[in-house]
Amino acid sequence: MDKDSEKKNTCGGPDSAAGDNRSKLDGAGIGTLCVQAGWQPRDGEPRILPIYQSTTYRYDSTDALGELFDLTRDGHMYTRISNPTVAEVEKKIAALEGGTGALLCSSGMAAILIAVLNITSAGDNILACRSVYGGTVNLFAVTLRRFGIDVRFFSQSQSDEEIEAMADGRTRLVFGETLSNPGLEVFDIIRFAKLAHRHSLPLFIDNTFPTPVNCRPFGFGADIVIHSTTKYMDGHAAVLGGAIVDGGVFDWNCGKYPELVRPDESYHGVSYVRDFGNATAYIVKARVQLMRDFGMPLTPMSAFLLNLGLETLHLRMERHCSNAMKIAELLSKHPKVESVSYPGLPDDPGHGMLMKYMPHGSCGVISFTVAGGRDGAVRFMDSLKLAALVVHVADARTSVLNPAGTTHRQLTDRQLEEAGIPAGLVRLSVGIEDCVDIASDILQALDRV
Ligand SMILES: *Cc1c(COP(=O)(O)O)cnc(C)c1O
């Protein structure tokens, strides 16, 4: 934030993201940040993040309230826009990713929607990698187009020239997923950051699967990071949530993003870049304009539960990864398994790229195809005892899903093929139980195929 700026209401967000934690947590490792970033109690305050279960905040004077609405005074106005409990978890997530600020949303989809719409209008277009999460493909290929935003899909196998030819004067951003759900394709962040920056475009990365424990995309040139916190960050399948994190480096003043520079009529002429500084302009606008108008905030209770999950994220990711590695090895040697996709396996096509971006591990999700196609997959899944059939991934309990029949059901056969999802694909989310128990469950179910 600019020192001499007059406007300063970031609603407990960006500027304090590093500030409060700086002295104690400067240079701290990711595990320490998981446990300790965010809520910093002062003398005599509760040790644990309090739940401020309040929609509103009391002020002494009408002037004070007026200043809040003009964004000239720092403080919370209304929980749709910000809340003290939620703000502390935003600080933790910003610290984990190494960003300047974060905005928590009611779900991962809400985060993606706000993140994209923050810098796009009807008539604009974006470039997105084809292999992203099925829900994101629906949003991009159908719903955004309905509102006049064209999404142009590329695949990583295309050349830079081919992909750059899709961009034009109305292109606003490039979008990819660090590790795609469910294909587990590793996104070449450095390549696409360079490609995007050649056209003065920011690179948006959905970092849900590796989490900042295994990959921090800002370090590789990404500009905005998005999470479905519903997955590993919460980690217990208890609360939906999403996060947008601002890397603080992209130059919004480059001439292509007037909505961040030009006066915002809905705030009597605030300019986000001028009044809040380039490093937090994006995330402040997302909060005070789009979160205000769309209303998809994370609730204080959900933020509290998410924070509990985050406190053990580093431990759980380690266990998810070591369990998944052993299960992937077991599956790859099994006669009833046709193919296994887990970039941790040395002969996986994504292994080289994985070592570049996530040398310490990827995630607990494995995709594989059982012999016998769709029927084989169904017999396998219906025979599992410990692993549950759920429409979810990335929590403490081992679970399975058949993407073509569930999460990606709305995709056409062609879209399925393009996303690399055969009908018999099983997406296995390896939990943090004892690995021998997960393995014996899988073996007995494969016996029944
Ligand atoms: C689940 C998921 C989403 C959507 O998040 P919700 O919290 O379910 O809305 C987005 N991206 C990825 C990679 C996901 O796995």
Side-chain angles (χ1 to χ4, degrees):
M1 189 160 130
D2 291 344
K3 276 238 164 53
D4 39 23
S5 138
E6 291 202 346
K7 309 260 191 265
K8 59 171 190 247
N9 187 7
T10 59
C11 305
D15 63 319
S16 42
D20 282 8
N21 300 320
R22 197 168 286 137
S23 53
K24 191 168 99 182
L25 296 174
D26 226 9
I30 199 85
T32 305
L33 294 176
C34 283
V35 181
Q36 296 234 3
W39 171 242
Q40 303 296 319
R42 285 170 302 209
D43 196 30
E45 285 187 335
R47 180 69 191 98
I48 303 307
L49 172 64
I51 305 170
Y52 288 91
Q53 192 63 54
S54 181
T55 59
T56 48
Y57 308 90
R58 196 198 70 81
Y59 287 91
D60 282 343
S61 70
T62 44
D63 275 356
L65 269 174
E67 284 163 23
L68 281 175
F69 277 87
D70 283 346
L71 304 180
T72 54
R73 173 199 179 105
D74 208 5
H76 301 284
M77 289 178 245
Y78 187 52
T79 289
R80 171 156 29 86
I81 299 162
S82 67
N83 169 279
T85 305
V86 179
E88 297 303 332
V89 187
E90 286 168 342
K91 285 178 202 165
K92 176 175 282 189
I93 291 174
L96 287 172
E97 285 289 5
T100 54
L103 174 65
L104 279 168
C105 308
S106 54
S107 70
M109 292 314 300
I112 295 170
L113 181 65
I114 288 185
V116 170
L117 293 190
N118 204 29
I119 53 166
T120 47
S121 302
D124 291 337
N125 64 76
I126 72 171
L127 306 185
C129 184
R130 261 185 224 295
S131 54
V132 296
Y133 172 66
T136 309
V137 172
N138 285 332
L139 171 68
F140 285 0
V142 181
T143 304
L144 284 188
R145 282 181 182 157
R146 216 158 60 70
F147 293 96
I149 296 162
D150 187 29
V151 182
R152 300 169 182 181
F153 290 99
F154 63 84
S155 57
Q156 293 203 79
S157 59
Q158 288 176 281
S159 69
D160 281 11
E161 292 69 35
E162 285 174 297
I163 298 169
E164 290 181 74
M166 295 178 193
D168 58 29
R170 297 295 301 268
T171 304
R172 314 310 305 272
L173 62 97
V174 180
F175 189 102
E177 242 167 65
T178 322
L179 259 179
S180 68
N181 173 6
L184 300 173
E185 183 179 305
V186 184
F187 193 69
D188 192 349
I189 303 172
I190 295 174
R191 173 186 171 201
F192 286 95
K194 282 189 187 142
L195 185 152
H197 295 163
R198 275 201 292 279
H199 297 263
S200 298
L201 301 171
L203 177 64
F204 283 35
I205 293 288
D206 181 333
N207 196 34
T208 297
F209 267 18
T211 82
V213 169
N214 284 334
C215 183
R216 298 173 96 196
F218 293 142
F220 299 112
D223 300 291
I224 301 295
V225 164
I226 299 163
H227 283 279
S228 165
T229 64
T230 315
K231 311 295 165 55
Y232 290 114
M233 280 192 166
D234 163 42
H236 299 78
V239 283
L240 283 169
I244 309 170
V245 192
D246 190 341
V249 173
F250 188 80
D251 178 16
W252 301 110
N253 232 336
C254 62
K256 292 188 90 150
Y257 300 91
E259 58 275 274
L260 283 156
V261 181
R262 253 199 252 129
D264 178 350
E265 282 167 31
S266 70
Y267 275 112
H268 316 303
V270 160
S271 155
Y272 297 101
V273 167
R274 183 194 65 212
D275 298 331
F276 296 95
N278 188 69
T280 58
Y282 173 90
I283 203 74
V284 171
K285 177 179 178 291
R287 177 190 304 282
V288 302
Q289 189 191 63
L290 292 191
M291 189 58 93
R292 176 197 64 187
D293 295 354
F294 294 165
M296 321 186 260
L298 194 70
T299 65
M301 187 67 202
S302 292
F304 174 82
L305 292 169
L306 170 59
N307 191 55
L308 281 186
L310 287 169
E311 289 183 3
T312 56
L313 180 65
H314 55 306
L315 297 178
R316 290 184 288 104
M317 287 313 288
E318 211 178 291
R319 183 64 170 261
H320 279 295
C321 292
S322 66
N323 277 358
M325 191 65 208
K326 288 177 204 147
I327 299 295
E329 280 163 359
L330 176 149
L331 288 170
S332 66
K333 288 180 200 127
H334 200 284
K336 290 202 180 144
V337 174
E338 283 176 351
S339 66
V340 181
S341 171
Y342 186 69
L345 292 172
D347 54 359
D348 188 278
H351 189 71
M353 199 77 89
L354 187 80
M355 289 300 106
K356 187 167 162 191
Y357 293 107
M358 292 158 261
H360 305 299
S362 51
C363 67
V365 180
I366 301 171
S367 294
F368 66 100
T369 43
V370 183
R374 193 186 286 262
D375 291 346
V378 167
R379 260 200 305 280
F380 167 75
M381 292 190 296
D382 288 349
S383 307
L384 290 164
K385 291 174 181 156
L386 191 73
L389 268 171
V390 297
V391 183
H392 193 249
V393 282
D395 74 76
R397 288 154 289 261
T398 298
S399 60
V400 287
L401 180 84
N402 168 232
T406 54
T407 49
H408 289 63
R409 205 179 176 87
Q410 279 91 7
L411 302 198
T412 62
D413 284 353
R414 170 123 187 259
Q415 283 174 321
L416 280 174
E417 197 183 305
E418 284 171 349
I421 300 164
L425 189 79
V426 174
R427 184 181 69 179
L428 173 69
S429 177
V430 179
I432 57 174
E433 303 94 338
D434 287 323
C435 199
V436 289
D437 295 329
I438 303 171
S440 64
D441 189 35
I442 288 171
L443 289 173
Q444 66 81 21
L446 283 172
D447 279 347
R448 276 158 232 264
V449 170

